[in-house]
Amino acid sequence: MLFRSTVPATIDLPKKDTAVVVTGVRPLNAEYEPFSPMAMFPTASYEGTAPEDGTYVIAVYTPGDGGPYTLASGKLESFTATEWIMVPVNLIGVRLWQEQSLLLIFGPYLVVLIAGMVLVLRWPGRQRMSTAAWFGLVAGLLYLGSGTATLLQTGIALQMATAGPAVLVTLVLAAIPIGAGAAAVCISLRSSESTPLRFRLQMVAIGIVGLVGWGGLIIGPVLAFVAALMPAGKG
């Protein structure tokens, strides 16, 4: 342990407490984080056994001008069901922390929604679609937006980080909403050829996949469930 004299003057250390000071060194190359996805520079790490029970404080200090940082405590990652479902929403905060613009964050959703709706509105068969089918269609487009956003963020991260096997994890995470979104769009466009019960079951399945697979910013799965509950007649 290093004592009070080694702690930066801006850190208020109680008189009877001691401290471990870990000096960080920024690596030349960034590491790729596949679940976000993003590029990260691991600058410092520490592992040790706490000498006694109590409250321990971690302070991050940067001489001069500081900047945004991440801090991970412990090694075991676990999520409640609610925390897992809320990951896409919480990632918006991460993107804002990265100082990304709202246009960059939500742009993929807007592009896919606008392009998809333009194509569908030019499709003669749209007149046979029920209101439920329209809800399912928008849900599918939001899913496709999620997959597109993930691929865009992957490209941004790989501008700093080196591509490796971890990228495959991201591609799977992108493929899940893209696959579910494509299925939702196809099912909605062909809903008039399907039985009401089959359409409802398909929408419920797509909603579940979206919640588990982080598709559609939660709004997409909600719309899929709404489509499953709505009357089957034409709107």
Side-chain angles (χ1 to χ4, degrees):
M1 285 192 176
L2 303 179
F3 292 91
R4 186 182 180 89
S5 59
T6 64
V7 177
T10 54
I11 303 298
D12 185 13
L13 184 68
K15 293 182 179 180
K16 295 182 179 180
D17 286 359
T18 58
V20 175
V21 178
V22 180
T23 302
V25 178
R26 180 186 172 97
L28 295 177
N29 299 317
E31 290 186 1
Y32 179 75
E33 203 293 309
F35 294 96
S36 302
M38 62 186 297
M40 303 179 66
F41 292 89
T43 58
S45 64
Y46 174 77
E47 182 175 350
T49 302
E52 60 184 28
D53 295 337
T55 300
Y56 291 80
V57 178
I58 302 175
V60 179
Y61 168 78
T62 302
D65 295 331
Y69 65 89
T70 60
L71 176 65
S73 59
K75 297 181 178 180
L76 180 63
E77 292 191 22
S78 60
F79 301 88
T80 65
T82 301
E83 289 171 339
W84 181 270
I85 291 172
M86 291 297 294
V87 164
V89 176
N90 293 332
L91 276 179
I92 296 174
V94 174
R95 302 307 176 201
L96 293 174
W97 166 80
Q98 291 178 290
E99 300 181 344
Q100 293 188 10
S101 66
L102 291 176
L103 182 59
L104 181 60
I105 297 171
F106 295 106
Y109 295 91
L110 294 175
V111 170
V112 172
L113 275 171
I114 294 173
M117 293 303 294
V118 168
L119 292 175
V120 172
L121 290 175
R122 298 180 63 180
W123 177 59
R126 72 183 185 280
Q127 297 177 357
R128 298 190 300 270
M129 292 175 59
S130 65
T131 304
W134 281 102
F135 273 83
L137 173 68
V138 175
L141 293 176
L142 287 173
Y143 281 35
L144 293 173
S146 287
T148 303
T150 299
L151 294 177
L152 174 62
Q153 294 295 337
T154 300
I156 294 173
L158 291 180
Q159 292 181 3
M160 292 185 291
T162 303
V167 176
L168 296 177
V169 176
T170 307
L171 294 180
V172 171
L173 294 176
I176 292 174
I178 288 176
V185 170
C186 292
I187 291 168
S188 299
L189 294 178
R190 301 177 60 181
S191 59
S192 60
E193 304 172 14
S194 178
T195 63
L197 177 59
R198 182 179 180 182
F199 176 80
R200 296 180 195 281
L201 293 177
Q202 289 171 329
M203 285 294 112
V204 169
I206 288 171
I208 293 173
V209 171
L211 290 179
V212 176
W214 301 342
L217 287 178
I218 300 180
I219 300 173
V222 170
L223 292 178
F225 291 135
V226 170
L229 296 174
M230 293 187 68
K234 289 195 298 182

